[in-house]
Amino acid sequence: MSKVVHGGNIDELSRKYNLNKEKLIDFSANINPIGANKNVKMELIRAIDKIERYPDITYFDLKSSISKFEDIEIRDLTLGNGAAEVIFNLVRALKPKKVLIPAPTFGEYEEAVLSVNGSIEYYYLRENNNWNINEEILNYITEDTDIVFICNPNNPTGNLTNKDIILKISRKAIKTNTIVVIDESFLDFVKDNKNYTAIDLLEDYNNIFIIKSMTKFFAIPGIRIGYGISKNKDIIKKIDDISVPWNINVMAERAAIVALDEKEYIDDTIEYIEDEKNFLFHELSKIEPIKVFKPEVNFIMFKTKEFIDLKEKMLSENIIIRSCGNYKGLDRNYYRIAVRTRVENEKFISTLKNIIK
């Protein structure tokens, strides 16, 4: 299997197409368009003096900040160099033989499972059902299913899975001794996200493992930090046993601690994304040759009614978008764009209108 293709590859594209990367507008990576918080940047500068020492191998201060932010116990946490490492660590620790993955969804689940020679069953989401997971998935969870992955909100479709469905999946999985992995990496962008998180289910369901990323929301993809949450002590221990020591560097640790305490930044981001998401969706819906799928998060999926090499055409205008042709269950007519600033969003819309006439 070839490596998963991701968005945000500005350097590679600028080299390949001989483009000035300073002029490129990246709609392919779903990063907070507000940018990193100024206090986080200042903390990174101050943390320079800490690079001459090893990080605290227990990461007590960082775990304390995360536990306060999520209202969980420190013992329920495991850390990763980005959410991707958490995914791979979990799979390496549990070595599942059979895994259930909805499709389309984030490609790293599949890659992680295949890296330990696990087999995958796909539960295909349907466009005519708005890409929603429904009770039909319960039929796919059997005693042979070691893990089921749920990306919530789902990438790339941008929709949320109903809390009631998550609960039903968890109940069925308890009976089949199946671990339910819920990737909430984009949930912080969602207004009223407390209504959708599975964190409040952890006390009653020790088969749930939640993945979170700080990369997207806090606009710090360059320093990599993510974490996993579970009440299952055995899972946490197995992950920690196979994890690389000191996997979070001191600068990332300090930046994360400061970021989690920036309440105004967090609230401003949620409101900003809500406004710009609605603006982009409304404007895209006016362009007749495309079909737009209503988003719940900071990115939008749409499809062209007939094939246009939109990625290449937009790139010629210095705009990077994500082609979804390599997602299982989608084809080359599907694309995903991130919600960015109003000026950038307006530029995207006007450029798209000029291309699709």
Side-chain angles (χ1 to χ4, degrees):
M1 177 188 172
S2 59
K3 293 288 286 183
V4 174
V5 177
H6 294 286
N9 53 344
I10 288 181
D11 291 305
E12 181 184 2
L13 288 171
S14 62
R15 288 193 300 267
K16 183 177 179 180
Y17 293 95
N18 194 28
L19 298 169
N20 182 348
K21 65 180 179 181
E22 301 303 322
K23 293 183 178 180
L24 292 173
I25 305 174
D26 189 7
F27 279 84
S28 70
N30 307 318
I31 305 300
N32 187 340
I34 291 177
N37 179 268
K38 67 180 187 302
N39 292 331
V40 171
K41 292 180 179 180
M42 290 303 298
E43 186 65 22
L44 283 168
I45 294 170
R46 287 191 289 269
I48 282 288
D49 291 335
K50 296 181 179 292
I51 66 172
E52 296 170 357
R53 302 193 305 269
Y54 282 100
D56 170 14
I57 200 166
T58 70
Y59 292 104
F60 178 79
D61 290 343
L62 175 56
K63 286 185 174 182
S64 295
S65 293
I66 295 170
S67 68
K68 180 182 175 184
F69 181 77
E70 299 286 7
D71 193 21
I72 57 170
E73 300 292 333
I74 288 178
R75 64 174 178 267
D76 301 332
L77 274 172
T78 183
L79 303 176
N81 189 249
E85 186 179 61
V86 179
I87 294 166
F88 273 81
N89 281 351
L90 172 72
V91 172
R92 286 174 55 224
L94 299 185
K95 294 183 173 58
K97 293 181 180 178
K98 185 178 179 182
V99 174
L100 176 62
I101 302 178
T105 198
F106 187 50
E108 294 291 351
Y109 312 141
E110 178 185 61
E111 191 160 303
V113 173
L114 294 179
S115 75
V116 296
N117 298 315
S119 67
I120 301 170
E121 182 176 15
Y122 297 97
Y123 164 66
Y124 283 94
L125 309 177
R126 294 188 295 273
E127 183 176 326
N128 61 9
N129 190 38
N130 296 316
W131 309 107
N132 289 319
I133 293 175
N134 56 33
E135 290 187 31
E136 181 186 24
I137 194 174
L138 301 178
N139 299 325
Y140 288 75
I141 301 171
T142 69
E143 292 182 357
D144 293 330
T145 310
D146 296 313
I147 295 175
V148 53
F149 279 95
I150 306 292
C151 188
N152 195 33
N154 191 35
N155 178 11
T157 59
N159 59 323
L160 283 159
T161 297
N162 186 286
K163 186 76 165 279
D164 185 55
I165 293 294
I166 296 289
L167 187 56
K168 289 178 179 178
I169 290 169
S170 302
R171 284 174 178 164
K172 175 69 182 288
I174 280 280
K175 296 176 182 177
T176 58
N177 199 28
T178 301
I179 302 300
V180 181
V181 180
I182 306 169
D183 187 345
E184 297 185 356
S185 289
F186 290 101
L187 192 58
D188 288 331
F189 286 103
V190 176
K191 199 170 187 178
D192 301 322
N193 53 63
K194 297 298 182 187
N195 295 330
Y196 297 96
T197 181
I199 286 177
D200 61 329
L201 300 180
L202 294 175
E203 204 66 52
D204 296 322
Y205 295 90
N206 76 342
N207 64 328
I208 293 178
F209 184 89
I210 296 171
I211 295 170
K212 294 290 292 282
S213 166
M214 292 189 66
T215 293
K216 290 86 175 175
F217 189 87
F218 293 103
I220 49 175
I223 59 175
R224 317 296 304 128
I225 189 159
Y227 50 93
I229 312 169
S230 180
K231 285 287 184 183
N232 192 312
K233 295 177 184 178
D234 184 50
I235 292 176
I236 296 294
K237 184 179 185 305
K238 283 181 178 179
I239 293 173
D240 288 345
D241 284 347
I242 59 91
S243 294
V244 175
W246 302 297
N247 57 342
I248 310 296
N249 67 70
V250 291
M251 297 184 74
E253 179 184 19
R254 289 306 311 165
I257 289 170
V258 171
L260 291 169
D261 203 36
E262 292 294 327
K263 306 300 183 188
E264 185 176 348
Y265 172 91
I266 292 168
D267 292 341
D268 287 348
T269 291
I270 293 170
E271 290 302 320
Y272 190 90
I273 292 298
E274 186 73 10
D275 289 343
E276 291 307 312
K277 174 190 72 177
N278 291 336
F279 169 78
L280 254 184
F281 176 72
H282 181 71
E283 294 300 316
L284 280 168
S285 300
K286 295 177 184 177
I287 305 174
E288 193 168 315
I290 67 172
K291 179 178 180 180
V292 192
F293 302 98
K294 188 171 176 58
E296 300 289 348
V297 73
N298 64 318
F299 53 84
I300 298 175
M301 189 173 78
F302 65 90
K303 80 177 209 182
T304 55
K305 292 184 178 178
E306 57 186 42
F307 179 65
I308 306 167
D309 198 345
L310 206 53
K311 181 178 178 180
E312 293 285 333
K313 290 180 183 296
M314 295 297 281
L315 192 57
S316 69
E317 300 293 333
N318 289 317
I319 294 175
I320 308 172
I321 65 173
R322 177 72 158 89
S323 169
C324 295
N326 66 329
Y327 281 93
K328 276 191 168 51
L330 301 179
D331 59 36
R332 61 182 186 169
N333 291 344
Y334 291 85
Y335 298 90
R336 189 198 69 199
I337 59 166
V339 173
R340 294 199 57 83
T341 66
R342 177 58 60 95
V343 171
E344 291 170 326
N345 293 337
E346 287 176 340
K347 181 174 174 57
F348 173 82
I349 293 296
S350 63
T351 304
L352 182 62
K353 285 179 178 177
N354 287 333
I355 292 172
I356 303 179
K357 293 179 179 177

